[in-house]
Structure formats: C-alpha cells, structure tokens
Amino acid sequence: MFRQRTIIPGFGLTFGFTVFYLCIIVLIPLSAIFIKTAGLGWDGYVAVALSRRALLAYRLSFGAAAIAAAINSVFGLIVAWVLVRYDFPGKRVVSALVDLPFALPTAVAGIALTALYAPNGWLGELLTPLGIKVAFEPLGVVVALTFIGLPFVVRTVEPVLADLGHDVEEAAASLGAGRRQTFTRVILPAILPSLATGFALAFARGVGEYGSVIFIAGNLPYRSEIAPLLIVQQLEQYNYAGATAIAATMLMASFAVLLAINLLQAWDRKRMAA
Amino acid sequence: MKGSVSEPAWVRWALIGVALAFLVLNLALPLAAVFAGAFAKGVAAFRTAVDEKDALAAMRLTLLVAGIAVPLNIVFGLAASWAITKFDFRYKSVLISLIDLPLSVSPVVSGLIYVLLFGLQGWLGPWLRAHDIQIVFAVPGIVLATVFVTFPFVARELIPLMQEQGRTDEEAARSLGASGLQTFWHVTLPNIRWGLLYGVLLCNARAMGEFGAVSVVSGHIRGLTNTLPLHIEILYNEYNYVAAFAVASLLAGLALVTLVAKSVLEWRFRDQLAGTGH
C-alpha cells in the first residue's frame, strides 16, 4: 500500500473500516460457499450441481436471462434514443418510469405479472385464444426477466448517447451519408460497448433473479424451474451441501459475467482514449 | 434523405410510439395491475387487509430492518468514498470492484451465505447455540441479508461524485486550520448531500423490498420474522389475492414515492449528483 502525503486526515480510520466491513459482510460469508463446496469433493459436487435437474435449471436461468437481455437491448436502445433525442409530452414521467424495476420490490412485480398473464388476466385473456401461454410456463420467466432488466440497458446507453457529439453526425451527413448509414456506421459503433455492457448487466441480474420469477414460472421440475429456486428447495430439505454446490456454480458464472463487464468497460475506455 | 442529421418526422413518431408501447406493456400495466388487484373487492376489503395484525407486524419489521441496514450502509458508504477519493493507494480499482460484488450475487445466494455461517449446521452454529444466540431464522439474520444486498448503493453513488469534486476544498479547509471532523461536516457533507440522499433513497427502496435473500434467512414465522414482501408471498400462496395485492400496493406506493423523489433530485440538483446514470 502506497499513498502520497496529504494534509487531509482520516485515511487509516476510513480505509480500515471499509476493509473490515467489506470482509465481515461480504468476503468472509461469500468464501463460506467455496470452502463448503470444496469439502464436498468432486463426485459429491457433480452429483448435485451437475444433475440433470440442475442442468435444466441452469439452461432455463441462463437462456431466459439471455433472451430477456436481448429483448431489452433492442427496446432499451429505442427508449434511450427517444429519451435523449426527441421531445414529447410526458417525457419526464416516462423517464422516471424506466427506473420502476429498480424501485418496485421483486415480489410485487412477480404477483403483478402473474395476474396480468394468467389465463384470466388482462393480457392472458388476449393471448390464450391465440394459443400463447405465458404464466406458469418458461415464457413467463422471460417476461419477468424482461421487466427486471430494462433499466440496466437504458441507463447504461443513455449517457453515452447524450455525450455523442453532433459534429461527427454532421460530418457524416456532409460527406453524403444517409441517416441510416450514419446510424449504422457512426452512431452504432460508438454506443456498441455501452449496449454490450447494458446487456451483460441485465443478463447478470436475470440469472440470479428470484422474487419476480417464482410466482409466474409455475416451478415445474425439469421444465420451468430456475436455478435459484433449486437452491431454496435444497435448503428446505436441509441439504446445505447441495444448496451450496449449486450456489457455487452460479457464483462462478456471475464472476465470469462480471469479468466480461470489466473487460468491456476497459475496451470502451481504451477506444475512447484512442 | 441524403445528408440529414435527424430522422424524418414519421420515423421519429414511430420510434416514440414503439418506446411508449413497450414501456406501457412492460412497466405501466404491471403497476396498474397491483392497484387494480388491491381494490378489486372495494376500499373496505383493502382496509381490512392492510389493518390486520400480521400485516402490521410485517410493516414494523420491515421498518426496523431498513432502519438498521440503511444507516449502517450510509456509514460504510461515507467511509469508503472518503478513503477512495481523498487518498491514493494501490489496488484501488480492486477495492471498488469488491464493493460492487453484492450486486452480481443472486439474492438467494446472499441469504445462503449467512445460513452457512450462522445456521445450526453452520461454522458458528454450535457456538451460537451454546450461548443461546439466534441469528438465522430471526431478526439479526434478516438485517444481515439486507445489509448485504444493499451494501454498495450509497458508496457507488458517492465515489464518482466525490471523485469529480476533487480534494481542493478539503485541503483549503485544513490549511485554514479546520479539524478533520469540521472539514467533513462543514465542507464535504454540504457538497455531497444531494448525492447522499439519492443513494439513501435507492438503498432504502431495496432494503424495504428485498425478497429472495430475506426469504432464505427468515424462517417465515408469521407475525415474527415476516417482512412485507414475505407477507405478500404467504397471502398469495393462500389464494388470498385481495390481501396480497393490498399489501403489495403499499410497497408499490413506496416505489412511486422513491421514483418521484429521485426524479425531483435529478431535475433540481443534476449538477450535484454523480454523472453516471441510475
């Protein structure tokens, strides 16, 4: 540890407290997962964490999170674009509404979405005659994760879009580029890293999401059961080792996504500096 | 449209239409469904559901838990942002990443880690039992899980803000003879108060609404270890939909108040908040 001389006091106190609090609340408890999993041995780990039921649950959690993040990347970009570039009545209300998934408790979102998409709900009534079932099906998981993930994309893309100078667009236009060409050749490449970061953030949140999903998913084993639910079920059967093995698998996946996000942001900074 | 820097009007309105349609379908309808469900059987049924013994106990517990978890994370957020922005040291970016770590951990795992530490079969389980201390399936466990999931909210609002503001104000105050505490109280705090309030709002909304992490450590004892979100689940699973949505509408109301307060801060004090979105 190295620090320059400064007349501002309090480094020892604040740094010490920060590290201490970080260790007791976050690092030591999280390490319990890996130590406990290591104690299981490879065969014990494989038997629970890589069972067919667990693999299908990961597939649903990761697959639905990816689809939802993709949907949010498309619509989140449109929402961010509209908020940054255009004026329309009620824009402030719309902008505030985008953050609803951050503020609304997940259990509330879960029962609300279930009520909407149940066969007798406002949207379920319209979709059921078309043969589309959403509630209590894997599709319901995608709907819930789409709700949860939207602000991650909008709030990541929005500032980058706002900072994008008009001069490059004007230059492209004066060189004879059509609006569509300007968008695909000039604007899109500039916002792509932030869009990818937004996708990754929404995806990471979706993989671990629990509250909004369990009400709408139906939770049928091998079909509409998400990975976090599997952890809860193992715990309810007092199988702590099993719960921990699945948790360790999910944690490693989240850390991989976190690393990807950091690399994306480093890439973006490097591009901006160049 | 060769050589244009904006879209034709029909494209603009089509994009606005698509954006609004998506937001209505994805956000406004679920919100409306909560209030429709709460008042499906009239105002009297809503009142009965909200003014009920277990619901009131859940409200008190939710307020208590947020009342402990939020101040703890305010103290942490202030300490962390002071250490990180006022001084230079190695591995600073590692420390910042570690502070953000709880955001990428599934809520269920956030609860599980405390069960592994303090549960009956956990590392400290036998010792806690011998001393008759209960953490998991009791209020302390709920507080710990809530502290974990709301851990970064204040810090990640303050760090970029204090980074932008630099150190010159504090250095000036110190060279004029102010003590460390005086500098913090009279110079730093007024500079960051709106950003701090912004972080506290987000922290509090999450603390009062957390479901997954709290669900794992709570033990679901009605009237004792049920927070409002857990109470909603119990009512819902008992097919008591009006009561479930009535209690849910209280939390939805809290979310709306949070959004309004947050928007007001963004409009009035945009220059005194951190530049990053969210």
Side-chain angles (χ1 to χ4, degrees):
Chain A
M1 293 291 160
F2 164 80
R3 75 187 166 93
Q4 278 175 329
R5 294 205 60 78
T6 166
I7 55 168
I8 301 175
F11 179 75
L13 180 70
T14 55
F15 183 80
F17 178 72
T18 300
V19 171
F20 169 75
Y21 190 74
L22 181 70
C23 284
I24 58 162
I25 298 289
V26 178
L27 299 182
I28 295 172
L30 270 181
S31 68
I33 297 266
F34 293 103
I35 294 169
K36 181 111 183 162
T37 306
L40 269 179
W42 179 247
D43 292 336
Y45 172 77
V46 169
V48 189
L50 303 180
S51 67
R52 197 171 100 81
R53 188 169 172 183
L55 289 176
L56 286 170
Y58 302 137
R59 193 177 77 176
L60 178 62
S61 275
F62 286 90
I67 296 171
I71 295 172
N72 278 328
S73 296
V74 174
F75 288 99
L77 174 58
I78 297 176
V79 171
W81 179 271
V82 162
L83 286 177
V84 171
R85 297 281 168 121
Y86 306 149
D87 270 318
F88 53 92
K91 184 169 155 178
R92 281 183 168 183
V93 177
V94 171
S95 177
L97 187 68
V98 167
D99 284 328
L100 181 71
F102 283 150
L104 193 70
T106 53
V108 178
I111 64 170
L113 290 169
T114 312
L116 275 181
Y117 287 95
N120 61 351
W122 296 343
L123 295 173
E125 260 177 1
L126 304 175
L127 294 172
T128 309
L130 305 174
I132 305 171
K133 281 192 210 158
V134 178
F136 318 123
E137 292 289 333
L139 193 53
V141 180
V142 175
V143 166
L145 297 185
T146 307
F147 174 87
I148 291 296
L150 180 72
F152 289 96
V153 176
V154 178
R155 295 307 180 213
T156 315
V157 175
E158 212 180 355
V160 180
L161 210 49
D163 282 346
L164 206 65
H166 276 281
D167 48 343
V168 278
E169 288 172 48
E170 279 160 17
S174 67
L175 292 171
R179 192 61 188 154
R180 186 180 309 181
Q181 258 182 319
T182 308
F183 181 78
T184 53
R185 299 281 185 83
V186 177
I187 301 173
L188 199 57
I191 58 172
L192 205 56
S194 66
L195 197 57
T197 306
F199 175 93
L201 288 169
F203 175 75
R205 173 68 200 265
V207 167
E209 178 57 23
Y210 177 71
S212 60
V213 176
I214 52 159
F215 295 98
I216 200 172
N219 306 328
L220 293 170
Y222 305 103
R223 181 167 170 79
S224 61
E225 197 174 53
I226 54 167
L229 179 68
L230 225 49
I231 299 177
V232 172
Q233 285 171 349
Q234 298 283 335
L235 271 178
E236 278 168 0
Q237 296 160 15
Y238 300 102
N239 184 359
Y240 287 34
T244 312
I246 298 168
T249 313
M250 292 194 61
L251 268 184
M252 285 185 285
S254 340
F255 291 163
V257 176
L258 201 65
L259 186 69
I261 294 172
N262 279 320
L263 290 176
L264 271 171
Q265 282 168 344
W267 173 53
D268 193 26
R269 271 195 300 273
K270 219 162 120 189
R271 267 175 28 132
M272 287 300 166
Chain B
M1 283 303 287
K2 277 239 176 250
S4 165
V5 285
S6 83
E7 295 76 42
W10 70 268
V11 174
R12 282 205 297 270
W13 286 108
L15 286 175
I16 292 174
V18 169
L20 290 184
F22 183 74
L23 292 175
V24 166
L25 183 73
N26 197 32
L27 302 179
L29 273 183
L31 189 61
V34 174
F35 291 101
F39 294 100
K41 297 262 165 67
V43 179
F46 172 84
R47 281 232 186 108
T48 324
V50 174
D51 191 16
E52 183 259 345
K53 189 168 60 64
D54 291 336
L56 292 172
M59 270 175 235
R60 274 194 297 273
L61 182 59
T62 293
L63 290 174
L64 173 73
V65 169
I68 301 172
V70 174
L72 278 176
N73 283 335
I74 292 176
V75 173
F76 165 71
L78 287 171
S81 51
W82 184 270
I84 286 171
T85 61
K86 302 298 172 199
F87 305 95
D88 296 309
F89 52 90
R90 273 206 274 175
Y91 305 117
K92 192 187 266 188
S93 60
V94 175
L95 183 60
I96 297 176
S97 299
L98 287 176
I99 290 173
D100 275 346
L101 201 56
L103 289 180
S104 46
V105 174
S106 170
V108 170
V109 178
S110 312
L112 172 67
I113 55 180
Y114 295 108
V115 176
L116 292 180
L117 280 184
F118 302 117
L120 270 185
Q121 302 178 31
W123 288 352
L124 298 175
W127 186 87
L128 290 170
R129 196 191 172 125
H131 292 78
D132 209 22
I133 303 168
Q134 196 166 11
I135 292 184
V136 169
F137 308 135
V139 176
I142 299 175
V143 173
L144 273 174
T146 306
V147 169
F148 183 95
V149 293
T150 58
F151 188 84
F153 281 84
V154 177
R156 61 187 272 123
E157 193 54 43
L158 290 183
I159 292 169
L161 176 64
M162 287 167 68
Q163 201 93 57
E164 279 168 34
Q165 291 176 343
R167 303 168 190 174
T168 43
D169 287 2
E170 284 79 9
E171 282 163 357
R174 282 287 287 163
S175 48
L176 291 172
S179 73
L181 265 183
Q182 280 174 325
T183 306
F184 173 76
W185 194 254
H186 295 292
V187 176
T188 310
L189 205 55
N191 278 341
I192 60 168
R193 58 188 166 180
W194 300 117
L196 180 63
L197 183 59
Y198 192 89
V200 169
L201 273 174
L202 296 176
C203 184
N204 181 62
R206 182 71 194 265
M208 290 193 170
E210 178 52 29
F211 177 74
V214 167
S215 157
V216 170
V217 293
S218 126
H220 304 270
I221 307 163
R222 239 186 144 125
L224 277 181
T225 63
N226 258 346
T227 60
L228 278 177
L230 299 180
H231 191 58
I232 293 172
E233 184 196 22
I234 290 188
L235 293 170
Y236 191 84
N237 287 342
E238 287 170 347
Y239 305 104
N240 194 349
Y241 294 133
V242 170
F245 279 104
V247 177
S249 71
L250 298 178
L251 286 174
L254 171 77
L256 289 178
V257 170
T258 305
L259 286 183
V260 169
K262 185 173 163 297
S263 304
V264 169
L265 283 178
E266 281 166 4
W267 302 332
R268 297 215 32 206
F269 306 105
R270 179 163 278 286
D271 52 328
Q272 293 174 55
L273 298 174
T276 49
H278 148 103

